[in-house]
Amino acid sequence: MFGRPGGKVALGWWSEVARSNPFHAYLHQRNRARVSVRSVVLRLRAGDGNSKMSSVYINNSHAVDDDDFYDRNLALFEEEMDTRPKVSSLLNRLANYTNLTQGAKEHEEAESNGEKRKASKAPQMGTFMGVYLPCLQNIFGVILFLRLTWVVGAGGVLQALCIVLVCCCCTMLTAISMSAIATNGVVPAGGSYFMISRSLGPEFGGAVGLCFYLGTTFAGAMYILGAIEILLMYIAPQGAALLNNMRVYGSICLLLMSLLVFVGVKYVNKLASVFLACVIVSILSIYIGALVSAFIPPDFSVCMLGNRTVNGHALSDNQCAKTVLGAVTTAIWKHFCDSSELNATCDDFFTHSKFTTIQGIPGLASGIITENLWSTYLTRGDVLEKPSLPSTHVSAPATNQRPYVFADITTSFTLLVGIFFPSVTGIMAGSNRSGDLKDAQRSIPIGTILAILTTSLVYLSSVVLFGCCIDGVLLRDKFGDSVKGILVVGTLAWPSSWVIVIGSFLSTFGAGLQSLTGAPRLLQAIAKDNIIPFLRVFGHGKANGEPTWALLLTACIAELGILIASLDLVAPILSMFFLMCYLFVNLACALQTLLRTPNWRPRFSYYHWSLSFLGMTICLALMFISSWYYAIVAMVIAGMIYKYIEYHGAEKEWGDGIRGLSLSAARYALLRLEEGPPHTKNWRPQLLVLLKLDEDAHVKSPGLLTFASQLKAGKGLTIVGTVLSGNFLHSYGEALAAEQTLKHLMDKERVKGFCQCIVAHKPRDGISHMIQSSGLGGMNPNTVVMGWPQAWRQSEDPQSWKTFINTVRITTAAHLALLVPKNISLFPCNSEPCSEGYIDVWWIVHDGGMLMLLPFLLRQHKVWRKCGMRIFTVAQMEDNSIQMKKDLATFLYHLRIEAEVEVVEMHDSDISAYTYERTLMMEQRSQMLRQMRLSKSDREREAQAVKDRTSMLRLTSIGSDDEDDTDGAGERGERGGERERPPSSGGGGAAAGGGGGGAGNAGSSENHRRVQMTWTKERSLQYRASHSGCSTDHSNVRRMHTAVKLNEVIVNKSHDARLVLLNMPGPPRNPQGDENYMEFLEVLTEGLERVLLVRGGGSEVITIYS
């Protein structure tokens, strides 16, 4: 280990000891490690002897630290210790891990920056105190004491059991899903919001988090309304104007509770155990009272008139009869008769019916459950009736002027579901306290599931006990009016109803405090995550972190619920928000399970995706069962929040399941696309845009991306690529910077797609690799967009235009379409729409219909929308131009493309002198530059000599794509056969104007003048005599003739067009003619302002069939 052969460091006496006895040297080094290391370091620093640090794996910085001596055992990895730490240091950080608060990002940044954290006390809470009891306190609430008896009376025992069972199954399935998520790693304090946001992404997390916040806030309002109802109905009964009294007292109570929360949460936490004790005592008193009623039923008499229930408040003399001793009328008489005399006129039903008294609590052994099994739903204003009692046949409708007990609300199964469901919420209490738990991954599942089982058992048994012990008319009496305003569940309690009244009041008051404590912290957690910009202000609070502003907003929202002043109307609202939260918890678990992401390894193994989907289905069904319009409103709110976060929120990458779902969906779609080539009807341009960067990493032709964005009406794929010259190992940073530049430009041009940067030694190789490797599966690019090489004649590096031709050959070999915009700087940008004009298509050869489809796609964009479309085709002498025009019009009609059609006849003509002369100059220049290896100055002199010999021709070059060249006409004379321009036209040509419309007209007239000068035999002999040794290739003459003739026709017809599309001829098979090919293209597009050269990929892209 220490005597490495390659080491040449002289260590003095230590080397001698090592040579004499290696084992003794090893022990000696272990005993005197620090001294030896220091001596070695000092000797190395002083350059002792022949010490040479030849090994690249030695890191002196590790030797300086005394404690890092044993890092020599990891010398192979020491250069990567800054990015890949030792396992020991990683485990040390994990051991010192403290549960993060909801805004975990700031904590992570502080930790990475080395900021010191305050030592926090290790959490010590177990399953019972940390999860089980808090869940019990949050689940048991106001509904158990105020509405459960009414639910049993209205729905019957069977339907009440069904309601309780479905709601408890919903929470149980949600708890199973929540346990799986909570045990899949450390869950910071924040509970359901953290789990949903990190599992489904910031959009879903923010939307559901706000819904959960609103649900918790309205739960606080419901608890306050419940406490005020107990106060005003049972503790200190009030008279009229009950709703207004509830609004006033509820607002005062909300203010006092908000002040208590603001002063200090520690007081709320201290009172929590007291409130929980009150709940437990109240529930125990109900069970004891039910058992006692089997032997000694309590005396709660209900007065009945016929089968109708009489309000107990009207029995001021406690006499349930018409008269006493047959002569004296009772207090109830005057409510039905116009006077207290026996001969008074009375209500018909009163006259023909008798008063009877029944026991409100028959007892557990009475068998009353047989009457309470079935539902008795009432409409608002109906009188509570007992079907088993006899009734008169007099059809006298009951009015609210009579002292009956009336139904205050229309009941139905769906209403009962919405009102009861809040009594099973609160299962998130344990996960919300995960930061205080000793072992959260063990405590949360066990405590939550045990709490749900306990509460479910209590609810189910309470439904049965209520049905067995209490008469149906008393069960349906929501406020206990038949027993003089005593709380109905209190009539069953032992030893007194006041146990239930006081206990329920304190428990609802405590639950309201818990809601007002938890909701602001949830809002603060959402605000600190910075996913919703307008909530940032609520992330701030007092110096100790208390959410002051969030508490203020919570109190305002809770006040809206209190102003409703009805417990029955507020309960369905918070049911919607809680159900939506539970729905997405189940969705998150199911999604993670089905996607099988590598990070999905929950310790809680008793889950399955089918259970999560069942829970999600139940949640969705309960939402629409309880209140379909509230469900729609809740979904609309969540959807609006989702879209707001998607468009305006901060981008977060939390490794959420939606990203995994997108990957799975993309994989599935790509595999489906791989099954075969796309049909012609499904063809759309999948663009590969090749951009070039300058020395400063700026895009040279950003107009290419603008043009690509205008073609995106096809909704296809867009890949923006560039090639950097160099070695990838050394240019990785430059490649990342280039990608960022491309992404920024894509965002600016609003192009949705991908960017790709390839580093290669030669640009042509990089382009070839990009064309071959871009895309994935069936999402491969089918169209390449590249720019015209600027100033290719004057370019000192001929590789620029050679790379262009090589790219054309590669796209042809790959069967890809090619689009080459010429004069791209003159193309309109997205902010400058064309108000009028035409897009001209010159359909010379058929290459799959690209020339037809591209104008249609361009006209879908606002820039080209107002432009008309003209299609020109060329007819030869043997063609019938009239029939061609008819056929073309019919073809366009079947293609559903509106365009003007024109057939241009090109007659055979002699080759003009201009054509012959330009071909000769082109060949002379090409041959000269190929055969002579000249320096830059010699090349310029030789090119100038060629220009002097051919200066007899007055040629004009219009529409060059060189924007940066401003050297004047002298340097432009290098172009083979290029004409001198008048001084007024400017030295730069394209730099000055880029070929405007006026220049195009001038070029057209000049071409017309030159064509008439035919190449006669005499002129041929004269020219060859003066240019002996020069010969021309006849094929080049023919190609030049075609280019000149076509250019003359195109300029004549389309000089005023906004855009000209024409077929791009293929490159020559012989690479020796590459420069001639560039000259042909230059001649073909002279005098045109904006040109798009199109070369099809060999497949049909447009069809007449549907």
Side-chain angles (χ1 to χ4, degrees):
M1 180 184 297
F2 300 101
R4 186 177 298 175
K8 297 183 180 180
V9 181
L11 302 179
W13 62 272
W14 170 248
S15 61
E16 297 177 1
V17 174
R19 285 193 298 269
S20 62
N21 192 343
F23 180 73
H24 176 71
Y26 173 74
L27 294 179
H28 191 72
Q29 183 193 18
R30 290 291 303 272
N31 294 330
R32 303 188 60 185
R34 297 184 178 180
V35 176
S36 61
V37 172
R38 288 182 181 274
S39 62
V40 171
V41 170
L42 292 175
R43 287 172 181 267
L44 291 176
R45 288 183 174 178
D48 181 32
N50 297 325
S51 61
K52 294 182 180 180
M53 300 300 294
S54 60
S55 176
V56 298
Y57 295 103
I58 296 179
N59 191 345
N60 292 339
S61 62
H62 288 279
V64 176
D65 191 357
D66 298 340
D67 297 331
D68 288 340
F69 172 76
Y70 292 104
D71 287 352
R72 289 196 173 199
N73 295 328
L74 303 176
L76 284 174
F77 306 94
E78 63 184 4
E79 289 195 342
E80 297 180 323
M81 286 296 182
D82 53 344
T83 57
R84 302 181 182 184
K86 294 184 298 182
V87 175
S88 60
S89 61
L90 173 65
L91 295 178
N92 183 46
R93 291 179 63 187
L94 293 178
N96 295 330
Y97 176 83
T98 57
N99 287 287
L100 304 182
T101 56
Q102 188 63 35
K105 180 180 178 182
E106 292 79 5
H107 186 101
E108 294 171 356
E109 291 178 350
E111 188 180 59
S112 63
N113 293 334
E115 297 181 4
K116 295 182 179 180
R117 294 172 297 176
K118 295 182 180 179
S120 59
K121 187 178 180 180
Q124 297 295 331
M125 299 187 71
T127 303
F128 186 76
M129 293 297 297
V131 181
Y132 181 73
L133 291 183
C135 284
L136 284 184
Q137 182 181 4
N138 282 268
I139 294 174
F140 287 134
V142 63
I143 302 296
L144 171 63
F145 303 111
L146 296 185
R147 294 292 183 270
L148 187 56
T149 55
W150 175 70
V151 169
V152 175
V157 174
L158 295 180
Q159 290 192 19
L161 286 174
C162 179
I163 292 173
V164 173
L165 188 62
V166 170
C167 293
C168 292
C169 286
C170 175
T171 54
M172 176 59 74
L173 295 173
T174 304
I176 293 174
S177 300
M178 182 194 68
S179 300
I181 299 175
T183 57
N184 187 50
V186 180
V187 178
S192 59
Y193 164 69
F194 183 89
M195 291 186 293
I196 295 174
S197 61
R198 270 56 177 182
S199 297
L200 295 180
E203 293 87 2
F204 278 108
V208 181
L210 280 184
C211 287
F212 190 59
Y213 162 75
L214 292 175
T216 307
T217 304
F218 276 101
M222 184 190 72
Y223 290 133
I224 293 175
L225 287 175
I228 299 303
E229 180 178 315
I230 295 173
L231 176 66
L232 299 183
M233 296 288 293
Y234 309 113
I235 298 179
Q238 299 292 318
L242 179 61
L243 292 181
N244 289 331
N245 287 342
M246 291 191 70
R247 293 186 179 103
V248 173
Y249 285 100
S251 301
I252 295 174
C253 184
L254 174 62
L255 179 61
L256 294 177
M257 294 169 70
S258 300
L259 289 177
L260 180 59
V261 173
F262 177 77
V263 169
V265 183
K266 58 182 180 180
Y267 302 108
V268 178
N269 294 331
K270 289 180 180 179
L271 293 173
S273 57
V274 177
F275 297 143
L276 179 60
C278 294
V279 173
I280 296 175
V281 169
S282 301
I283 294 174
L284 290 178
S285 70
I286 295 174
Y287 282 98
I288 296 174
L291 294 176
V292 170
S293 69
F295 307 99
I296 308 174
D299 185 16
F300 285 98
S301 300
V302 178
C303 184
M304 306 293 296
L305 178 62
N307 64 348
R308 295 180 180 179
T309 308
V310 178
N311 195 322
H313 295 288
L315 304 175
S316 57
D317 55 357
N318 295 326
Q319 296 295 329
C320 183
K322 295 180 182 180
T323 60
V324 179
L325 301 176
V328 181
T329 58
T330 59
I332 197 68
W333 180 280
K334 60 182 178 181
H335 293 285
F336 291 94
C337 303
D338 55 3
S339 69
S340 59
E341 300 297 329
L342 290 175
N343 58 356
T345 303
C346 299
D347 181 78
D348 289 342
F349 189 85
F350 177 79
T351 303
H352 295 86
S353 301
K354 295 180 180 181
F355 278 102
T356 56
T357 301
I358 63 172
Q359 282 296 324
I361 311 294
L364 189 61
S366 63
I368 194 66
I369 190 173
T370 57
E371 296 183 8
N372 296 332
L373 282 177
W374 312 110
S375 62
T376 306
Y377 293 120
L378 301 175
T379 306
R380 181 177 181 179
D382 288 349
V383 178
L384 302 186
E385 297 179 349
K386 186 176 176 62
S388 61
L389 291 180
S391 175
T392 180
H393 298 289
V394 177
S395 58
T399 63
N400 55 7
Q401 298 176 355
R402 307 304 180 192
Y404 296 123
V405 179
F406 296 95
D408 67 326
I409 189 173
T410 301
T411 54
S412 63
F413 181 81
T414 59
L415 177 71
L416 298 183
V417 171
I419 291 177
F420 175 77
F421 186 80
S423 63
V424 297
T425 59
I427 62 174
M428 301 290 184
S431 61
N432 290 340
R433 299 182 178 217
S434 59
D436 301 324
L437 300 175
K438 185 188 303 183
D439 187 0
Q441 296 190 6
R442 178 179 178 273
S443 299
I444 289 177
I446 296 176
T448 304
I449 293 176
L450 285 180
I452 293 176
L453 289 175
T454 303
T455 55
S456 300
L457 182 62
V458 170
Y459 285 136
L460 292 172
S461 59
S462 297
V463 169
V464 176
L465 288 178
F466 292 158
C468 292
C469 299
I470 306 176
D471 193 275
V473 292
L474 185 56
L475 287 174
R476 290 186 288 275
D477 187 1
K478 183 187 295 185
F479 303 109
D481 291 331
S482 60
V483 289
K484 296 184 178 181
I486 299 176
L487 184 63
V488 175
V489 70
T491 60
L492 188 62
W494 183 90
S496 171
S497 63
W498 285 100
V499 176
I500 295 291
V501 172
I502 301 300
S504 60
F505 176 77
L506 292 178
S507 66
T508 51
F509 189 82
L513 280 177
Q514 292 290 340
S515 298
L516 291 179
T517 303
R521 279 159 179 74
L522 181 59
L523 180 62
Q524 186 184 40
I526 298 173
K528 282 188 174 181
D529 266 349
N530 199 24
I531 59 175
I532 304 177
F534 69 84
L535 290 181
R536 290 173 183 168
V537 65
F538 299 107
H540 307 290
K542 295 192 294 186
N544 58 354
E546 292 298 321
T548 306
W549 294 106
L551 176 61
L552 181 62
L553 180 63
T554 302
C556 294
I557 297 176
E559 178 64 21
L560 297 177
I562 290 175
L563 292 178
I564 297 175
S566 175
L567 183 68
D568 301 327
L569 297 180
V570 174
I573 297 177
L574 64 99
S575 296
M576 291 303 109
F577 293 122
F578 278 119
L579 280 168
M580 183 167 291
C581 177
Y582 296 164
L583 185 149
F584 280 101
V585 169
N586 286 291
L587 175 62
C589 179
L591 200 62
Q592 299 276 25
T593 306
L594 290 176
L595 292 178
R596 298 179 182 178
T597 53
N599 191 52
W600 180 246
R601 302 183 302 274
R603 290 184 179 275
F604 181 80
S605 57
Y606 303 100
Y607 69 94
H608 194 264
W609 64 266
S610 59
L611 296 178
S612 299
F613 268 113
L614 179 61
M616 186 174 63
T617 304
I618 294 176
C619 289
L620 189 62
L622 288 176
M623 288 179 65
F624 283 92
I625 286 175
S626 58
S627 179
W628 63 269
Y629 45 89
Y630 279 164
I632 293 177
V633 170
M635 289 183 174
V636 168
I637 292 175
M640 292 173 62
I641 298 172
Y642 179 93
K643 300 306 290 185
Y644 178 83
I645 297 175
E646 185 179 17
Y647 285 106
H648 298 286
E651 294 184 0
K652 300 285 184 179
E653 178 52 57
W654 287 333
D656 51 87
I658 295 298
R659 179 61 61 88
L661 179 63
S662 301
L663 291 174
S664 297
R667 171 182 171 273
Y668 175 78
L670 287 173
L671 291 176
R672 289 291 302 272
L673 290 175
E674 191 72 18
E675 293 179 358
H679 193 272
T680 304
K681 292 185 292 185
N682 295 326
W683 194 95
R684 59 192 66 195
Q686 318 279 12
L687 301 181
L688 172 60
V689 184
L690 301 179
L691 298 179
K692 189 175 182 180
L693 304 180
D694 57 15
E695 293 79 5
D696 299 327
H698 295 152
V699 178
K700 283 189 174 182
S701 301
L704 284 175
L705 204 55
T706 305
F707 177 73
S709 69
Q710 296 167 4
L711 270 177
K712 286 303 291 178
K715 304 296 182 184
L717 174 71
T718 300
I719 298 178
V720 181
T722 188
V723 177
L724 299 181
S725 300
N727 190 336
F728 180 73
L729 294 177
H730 303 147
S731 305
Y732 178 70
E734 297 178 8
L736 291 180
E739 284 191 5
Q740 292 300 321
T741 301
L742 296 181
K743 288 180 180 179
H744 178 72
L745 184 60
M746 292 173 68
D747 292 339
K748 181 181 178 182
E749 298 294 337
R750 296 183 179 180
V751 175
K752 299 293 184 181
F754 309 95
C755 60
Q756 186 176 5
C757 181
I758 289 183
V759 181
H761 291 287
K762 295 181 180 180
R764 64 171 63 185
D765 294 339
I767 293 175
S768 175
H769 297 158
M770 183 174 294
I771 292 176
Q772 295 179 60
S773 62
S774 293
L776 182 64
M779 290 295 288
N780 284 321
N782 54 28
T783 305
V784 177
V785 180
M786 62 184 301
W788 178 262
Q790 298 180 357
W792 64 272
R793 288 193 182 104
Q794 287 81 23
S795 178
E796 298 177 1
D797 183 15
Q799 296 300 323
S800 60
W801 57 267
K802 290 184 178 179
T803 302
F804 171 81
I805 299 178
N806 184 67
T807 306
V808 177
R809 288 195 173 98
I810 293 173
T811 56
T812 303
H815 300 287
L816 302 179
L818 178 64
L819 306 180
V820 182
K822 196 166 181 285
N823 304 327
I824 188 63
S825 60
L826 302 178
F827 278 55
C829 61
N830 290 331
S831 59
E832 300 176 357
C834 299
S835 58
E836 57 184 4
Y838 289 96
I839 299 177
D840 286 358
V841 177
W842 284 85
W843 192 17
I844 302 172
V845 294
H846 180 63
D847 54 357
M850 282 286 291
L851 287 172
M852 305 294 179
L853 185 62
L854 291 177
F856 170 78
L857 296 179
L858 285 175
R859 291 176 64 193
Q860 306 302 310
H861 196 272
K862 62 179 181 179
V863 172
W864 305 96
R865 186 168 297 147
K866 295 183 179 180
C867 291
M869 182 175 171
R870 297 186 300 194
I871 297 182
F872 299 90
T873 187
V874 177
Q876 302 297 327
M877 286 295 296
E878 65 273 10
D879 297 327
N880 186 344
S881 59
I882 298 177
Q883 187 62 36
M884 282 183 63
K885 185 174 182 178
K886 291 181 179 180
D887 294 341
L888 180 56
T890 304
F891 180 61
L892 292 177
Y893 175 78
H894 289 300
L895 289 177
R896 290 91 64 198
I897 294 178
E898 297 181 1
E900 299 178 12
V901 177
E902 185 173 347
V903 178
V904 179
E905 296 181 354
M906 291 187 63
H907 303 287
D908 292 338
S909 60
D910 295 331
I911 300 176
S912 64
Y914 163 70
T915 302
Y916 215 111
E917 190 73 22
R918 186 152 188 174
T919 306
L920 184 60
M921 288 187 297
M922 175 186 69
E923 292 180 347
Q924 283 182 328
R925 181 176 182 273
S926 300
Q927 184 178 6
M928 173 189 68
L929 295 180
R930 277 198 307 268
Q931 293 177 354
M932 302 174 64
R933 303 296 183 183
L934 304 175
S935 63
K936 178 181 178 181
S937 57
D938 294 334
R939 187 182 302 175
E940 290 178 352
R941 286 197 299 271
E942 187 65 25
Q944 184 64 32
V946 174
K947 179 200 170 188
D948 293 340
R949 289 198 305 269
T950 60
S951 59
M952 71 179 79
L953 297 174
R954 304 296 183 183
L955 305 177
T956 305
S957 177
I958 300 175
S960 174
D961 203 47
D962 183 14
E963 295 180 342
D964 303 325
D965 190 301
T966 55
D967 294 337
E971 188 170 327
R972 286 187 177 273
E974 289 189 26
R975 303 189 183 188
E978 191 163 5
R979 284 86 70 192
E980 294 180 355
R981 305 189 62 170
S984 60
S985 64
N1001 294 335
S1004 177
S1005 60
E1006 184 72 16
N1007 287 336
H1008 183 71
R1009 181 183 60 82
R1010 291 195 304 266
V1011 171
Q1012 306 306 320
M1013 185 174 60
T1014 57
W1015 193 260
T1016 60
K1017 181 178 180 180
E1018 293 79 4
R1019 179 157 181 79
S1020 176
L1021 295 174
Q1022 178 184 356
Y1023 185 82
R1024 292 189 178 187
S1026 59
H1027 297 83
S1028 58
C1030 298
S1031 62
T1032 59
D1033 187 354
H1034 185 64
S1035 61
N1036 288 338
V1037 175
R1038 288 188 296 105
R1039 290 186 175 90
M1040 183 64 73
H1041 175 68
T1042 301
V1044 172
K1045 290 285 290 181
L1046 279 176
N1047 177 257
E1048 176 194 358
V1049 175
I1050 294 173
V1051 171
N1052 185 34
K1053 295 287 186 179
S1054 302
H1055 62 273
D1056 58 344
R1058 294 289 184 178
L1059 178 64
V1060 177
L1061 286 79
L1062 71 156
N1063 293 108
M1064 180 180 183
R1069 293 187 177 90
N1070 185 5
Q1072 299 295 328
D1074 285 354
E1075 190 172 9
N1076 299 341
Y1077 174 69
M1078 294 297 296
E1079 189 68 33
F1080 295 147
L1081 295 181
E1082 193 72 56
V1083 172
L1084 182 63
T1085 57
E1086 278 183 354
L1088 300 175
E1089 188 176 25
R1090 303 184 190 96
V1091 183
L1092 179 62
L1093 297 173
V1094 180
R1095 184 165 175 79
S1099 59
E1100 293 292 331
V1101 301
I1102 195 168
T1103 179
I1104 63 175
Y1105 300 103
S1106 60

